[in-house]
Structure formats: structure tokens, C-alpha cells
Amino acid sequence: MKTVPDQHVLKSRLRKGLRARRNGIAETQRDKLDAAINRHLVEYARTAHLSDIAASFAFDGEPDLLPALQALEADGVTIALPIIKNVAGRDTMVFGRWTRNCRMVPNRYGILEPAGTEEIPIPQFDVALLPLVGWDRRGIRLGMGASYYDRAFQPFAQSPRPMRMGVAYEAQEHAGLPRDPWDIFLHAMLTEKGWFTCER
């Protein structure tokens, strides 16, 4: 997965600007936005009767989903978080079951991940909540650049399951994001305004 040079420069520039925009949200405003995102997530999960969700812990200014994950786990929903593993000399991403009492350890990026819990295969999830740096309404996602999510979900790119739902703030929208052939599309987006199906 090697981005063509011009695309790489454009993506890097957009990534830098969108991360700065996200990190520039004031703490009091961020608390309100996160509360709205968590409320919409819980409402959606309960209405859709979701049983298995892939999610992630907040990193680098991402929306904090912990309140919603705790509420849904208490409802009996299976929650899983990313785990970075080294397979055949290359890092890859899998998902391990998370509970509020499970042991968590930091990975190479300093992000906490479940330790010693059941690994859950991606096709089992009803919904996968994908973090991102930028998004547009066509379902194009700009990530951090390591391609973990693209590589993990590429085998299921043409499948409606799991539904890939991006999670971000409205401020992270950028119309006309560039896309490489291996970049996975999002089926839907979740922001502080609610969730919607992408226009692809």
C-alpha cells in the first residue's frame, strides 16, 4: 500500500490540518460534543439491537466513547477493541474483547488495548466504529496513515457486515478527500449531530 507521491503529499497536508482542527476544540465544547456522540451511539445500538461492536479508545483528540461503551457492555453487548500484533514480521490489527474489568496494557503507540482476552473475528461484528482524522459524505475516510484499518477491513470491503461507521466531529468533515484504491469506504458516519448513511 504505497500512495502515489502527489497523493501522499496531499494526504499528509490534510491530515496535519485536520488533526490541528480537532485538537483545537475547546475542552468545554469537546465535553458537549462527546456527550452528544455517546448519546447517539447508545440510542442507535439499542434501537438496532446490536450484539457485537468493534470500537476504540480515544487517541489524539478523538471523541471519547467510553461512557457509551460502558453502558452498552452493561446491556450485554460484546465490545472489542483493537490490538496491534506482529505477524510474520509485520504489524497487523485484530480485535480483543473488552470489559470494564479486563486488564489493559499500552501498545507501541501508547494506546491501551485488552490483554489476555478473547479475540473476536471481524465478520462477527454488527458494527465497526472506525476512528479517523477526516471524512466526507461519500464515505471516504482519512486515517492516521498507518493503514491498519484499511488492511484489517479490506477482505470485507464489499460486504455490508460489519457496517463500517466512522466516528468523528462535524469539524472534521472535508469535502472531496483524496482516496487510494485500497482505502476502505465507510457505510455510515456518527457525529455530534447523529448518524447518517454515506452517499456513495
Side-chain angles (χ1 to χ4, degrees):
M1 293 184 178
K2 189 173 182 180
T3 309
V4 296
D6 289 348
Q7 191 102 308
H8 176 75
V9 171
L10 177 57
K11 281 187 169 185
S12 295
R13 186 169 68 245
L14 286 170
R15 189 175 290 116
K16 182 177 180 180
L18 289 165
R19 287 177 68 191
R21 186 188 302 175
R22 180 176 65 189
N23 288 323
I25 298 173
E27 185 175 351
T28 53
Q29 178 67 2
R30 185 183 299 275
D31 289 343
K32 294 177 182 178
L33 300 179
D34 284 1
I37 290 172
N38 277 274
R39 184 175 65 254
H40 292 309
L41 175 55
V42 170
E43 289 174 354
Y44 171 76
R46 289 174 175 168
T47 300
H49 305 290
L50 303 183
S51 60
D52 299 85
I53 298 175
S56 62
F57 276 1
F59 175 72
D60 189 48
E62 294 166 351
D64 183 3
L65 302 180
L66 184 58
L69 300 183
Q70 289 176 331
L72 294 173
E73 195 253 346
D75 285 350
V77 176
T78 296
I79 306 293
L81 301 179
I83 297 174
I84 304 301
K85 296 177 69 173
N86 189 272
V87 178
R90 186 179 190 186
D91 283 348
T92 187
M93 187 176 73
V94 297
F95 288 87
R97 183 166 186 169
W98 170 84
T99 66
R100 66 186 65 202
N101 298 317
C102 74
R103 186 167 70 92
M104 303 289 287
V105 297
N107 63 22
R108 57 181 293 188
Y109 300 104
I111 305 171
L112 292 176
E113 56 185 37
T117 64
E118 171 193 5
E119 186 175 314
I120 299 178
I122 287 176
Q124 181 174 321
F125 297 116
D126 302 308
V127 171
L129 303 171
L130 275 58
L132 51 85
V133 175
W135 61 276
D136 75 13
R137 293 181 180 272
R138 298 171 298 162
I140 295 179
R141 168 186 177 271
L142 180 66
M144 291 289 281
S147 296
Y148 283 116
Y149 282 89
D150 293 309
R151 285 188 278 118
F153 286 90
Q154 189 59 240
F156 316 101
Q158 304 306 315
S159 174
R161 182 185 176 91
M163 183 175 77
R164 299 183 298 273
M165 179 180 282
V167 181
Y169 301 116
E170 287 284 323
Q172 293 171 252
E173 181 181 5
H174 184 93
L177 281 176
R179 178 180 179 272
D180 285 301
W182 54 84
D183 292 338
I184 56 168
F185 280 103
L186 300 170
H187 297 114
M189 273 298 305
L190 170 67
T191 74
E192 67 269 20
K193 292 186 178 180
W195 76 275
F196 62 88
T197 301
C198 294
E199 299 169 353
R200 192 165 61 90

